[in-house]
Amino acid sequence: MRVSVDDDVCGGHGVCMMLCAEVFVLEDAGYARAVMEEVPPEHEAAVREAEIRCPTRAIRVQ
Ligand code: SF4
């Protein structure tokens, strides 16, 4: 499973980071970034939850 954050859409709310700090970090510029492209199996559920709960739908999961 792969994940990315669209920084044109991200509003910097940090919901993703609260749900999965192992995968998402908030940059100083005010938007989130995925620190890894390939998500380890143990974090897949949290990343899917972040995708669903992101207020701006900025998280892409493939
Ligand atoms: S939850 Fe969505 S809008 Fe908020 S920081 Fe994460 S990617 Fe950005």
Side-chain angles (χ1 to χ4, degrees), residues 2 9 11-12 14-17 19 23-24 26 40 42 44 53-54 57-59 61:
R2 297 164 74 86
V9 179
V15 174
C16 54
M17 202 181 61
L19 289 168
V23 173
F24 299 103
L26 266 187
E42 64 269 29
E44 286 189 356
R53 292 179 57 182
C54 172
R57 310 289 298 178
I59 298 170
V61 171

Side-chain angles (χ1 to χ4, degrees), residues 27-59:
E27 298 281 13
D28 291 342
Y31 55 82
R33 178 173 66 84
V35 297
M36 58 187 84
E37 201 171 316
E38 196 67 41
V39 179
E42 64 269 29
H43 297 315
E44 286 189 356
V47 168
R48 288 197 188 281
E49 183 76 17
E51 178 195 21
I52 292 166
R53 292 179 57 182
C54 172
T56 61
R57 310 289 298 178
I59 298 170

